[in-house]
Amino acid sequence: MLPLGLIVAIVLTDVLSPGLPMGPSLLIVAPALTASFASTLTTGAIAALAVAGMVVIGLQEGHLVGGTMEFGSQIIALLVVSVIVTVFRYLQERHARELELVRTVAEATQRVVLRPLPRRIGPLRVGSVYLAAQEQALLGGDLYATVRTPTGTRLIIGDVMGKGLTAISDAALLLGAFREGAHRQAGLSDLAAYLDHSVCWNLADPSEAEKAGECFITAAILDIPDELPQVDMVTCGHPPPLLLHGQRVSTLHATCPAPPLGLGELTGHRYHVDTFTFGPGDILLLHTDGVIEARDARGVFYPLSERAASWVHDSPSALVHHLRVDLIAHAGGHLADDAAVIAVQRSRRPAPTETAESAPLPGPPAGATGHPTLKRASLPSLAAVTVSNTQQMSGPWAAGPGGAQL
């Protein structure tokens, strides 16, 4: 409506007060203004109306009949500018569509690498938040994942050396190794050794052998049994998690922390499993160093323990939401490093499982035969139906003596 009103105002002013200097030439502003915010079709329509307004002014003042050089130059200038702004608007829209497509594909790819954590995993309630330092990115060098096993839930949170988009491939490598090894390795120490070997084999590029010792990933690997009020943990150079129990917040320090993944072969370290009490209602708060190292304008680090204690009675999802908003406000709206927070709470009562990573279904119990969902009482009726249908069959599919062919 703004450029349309501008055209009407210029035409009426020039018709009612003919001979005003620069009157018709002001019509060139309408298509130029429209191209800054409207679509290609709207820009072309406004340009056509501006040309029509110029023609109306020419007919009213007799410039078209007289054929003055000045008025002809004004019409040509208006036509040229209208075509240029319309074409540029079209190119801008096409570029915007391509950019939106690329952004959609990038977001889908990043979500495949870092799958969202479910809100419920067995007896656990989970809340998570991820803040990437790279603009327009959903993830960077931080990582987390969960895997359900027949006896509980295994979880990893880690931080790749570096940040931003350059660390995504390293994070994807470790996540893939964890999702595969969590089912294969019986013990938590064996799983940590398996992940360390995977990082050593894959993160070191054969063409850059001198950098083999420079690739590492800090991580905390946890195993939370369904039936026991405890959590087992192996810490590989990662910040210790917090345990929120009532009004008390305690730090779960490892008694024998291991070096980051990728450096185990250099140190020959054996992974030690620490066990902590994790009862119903307790909240386990896992985080990366991007959270506790975030600074405000005065250079003060983010006080995670104090802030978490103020929201200890919230649900895991509400807790991480409060932490996200508070962390961004503390850092002045921009984080210098990637940051990830996971809150895990053991439910006071059993809850249905909603998992992103599911373990294979257990087989039938010892002594059972056939499909585990079929009852023994239904087998005779099923056999009777089979025999009845077999007796009605003919041709090559008919049953032979004793039903052997069937």
Side-chain angles (χ1 to χ4, degrees):
M1 297 303 297
L2 179 62
L4 186 60
L6 184 62
I7 293 174
V8 173
I10 293 175
V11 172
L12 289 178
T13 302
D14 201 276
V15 169
L16 298 177
S17 303
L20 289 177
M22 301 296 293
S25 60
L26 290 178
L27 289 171
I28 204 171
V29 177
L33 180 63
T34 307
S36 64
F37 61 84
S39 63
T40 303
L41 182 61
T42 304
T43 302
I46 293 297
L49 290 176
V51 173
M54 181 75 78
V55 172
V56 170
I57 293 175
L59 291 175
Q60 179 68 23
E61 298 184 359
H63 295 307
L64 293 179
V65 179
T68 61
M69 182 66 68
E70 181 182 358
F71 191 78
S73 300
Q74 291 178 349
I75 291 183
I76 293 175
L78 179 59
L79 287 172
V80 171
V81 172
S82 299
V83 171
I84 290 176
V85 297
T86 303
V87 171
F88 271 91
R89 181 59 191 175
Y90 168 75
L91 295 177
Q92 185 180 12
E93 284 188 348
R94 187 177 67 176
H95 176 70
R97 289 194 297 269
E98 293 176 353
L99 184 61
E100 183 65 25
L101 179 61
V102 171
R103 182 179 291 112
T104 302
V105 174
E107 289 181 358
T109 304
Q110 293 176 79
R111 292 189 183 280
V112 169
V113 175
L114 190 72
R115 304 174 189 174
L117 297 183
R119 290 178 176 265
R120 285 192 178 273
I121 310 175
L124 307 177
R125 300 170 63 194
V126 181
S128 61
V129 64
Y130 195 109
L131 298 172
Q134 182 79 28
E135 292 187 11
Q136 303 297 326
L138 297 180
L139 73 151
D142 291 357
L143 58 97
Y144 53 70
T146 60
V147 171
R148 281 289 291 165
T149 66
T151 58
T153 301
R154 286 183 171 177
L155 188 148
I156 185 173
I157 184 169
D159 186 2
V160 180
M161 180 193 66
K163 62 180 180 179
L165 299 178
T166 57
I168 292 180
S169 59
D170 298 342
L173 180 141
L174 181 59
L175 289 174
F178 173 75
R179 291 176 180 127
E180 178 183 3
H183 295 291
R184 296 173 177 265
Q185 307 299 327
L188 205 58
S189 59
D190 296 333
L191 175 59
Y194 171 80
L195 296 179
D196 180 75
H197 293 326
S198 299
V199 174
C200 291
W201 293 336
N202 295 282
L203 289 188
D205 192 336
S207 63
E208 300 178 353
E210 68 279 2
K211 296 184 179 181
E214 299 180 6
C215 300
F216 60 87
I217 303 175
T218 66
I221 311 166
L222 297 92
D223 192 355
I224 306 177
D226 289 345
E227 303 298 332
L228 299 177
Q230 68 182 43
V231 55
D232 302 326
M233 181 180 68
V234 171
T235 303
C236 302
H238 198 76
L242 303 178
L243 180 65
L244 283 62
H245 178 75
Q247 296 290 343
R248 188 175 72 253
V249 179
S250 57
T251 304
L252 304 184
H253 291 285
T255 57
C256 186
L261 299 176
L263 303 180
E265 292 187 351
L266 301 178
T267 61
H269 186 86
R270 301 189 65 178
Y271 296 95
H272 176 73
V273 179
D274 292 294
T275 300
F276 303 94
T277 301
F278 183 48
D282 293 348
I283 296 180
L284 193 64
L285 193 64
L286 310 171
H287 59 89
T288 59
D289 58 2
V291 178
I292 56 178
E293 294 179 359
R295 299 172 181 260
D296 61 7
R298 299 173 298 173
V300 178
F301 290 110
Y302 182 72
L304 178 61
S305 299
E306 299 176 8
R307 303 298 171 85
S310 61
W311 298 302
V312 69
H313 295 296
D314 292 341
S315 65
S317 299
L319 174 61
V320 297
H321 173 73
H322 290 313
L323 290 175
R324 176 184 183 275
V325 175
D326 191 55
L327 178 63
I328 294 177
H330 179 85
H334 177 72
L335 297 177
D337 194 7
D338 303 320
V341 180
I342 303 175
V344 182
Q345 183 182 42
R346 186 183 293 274
S347 300
R348 300 183 184 276
R349 60 181 182 275
T353 301
E354 174 193 345
T355 63
E357 313 286 342
S358 298
L361 292 174
T369 59
H371 194 282
T373 60
L374 292 179
K375 298 180 180 179
R376 295 180 181 271
S378 64
L379 295 180
S381 59
L382 177 62
V385 173
T386 304
V387 173
S388 176
N389 290 339
T390 303
Q391 293 174 351
Q392 298 177 7
M393 301 173 79
S394 61
W397 295 102
Q405 188 169 351
L406 176 63

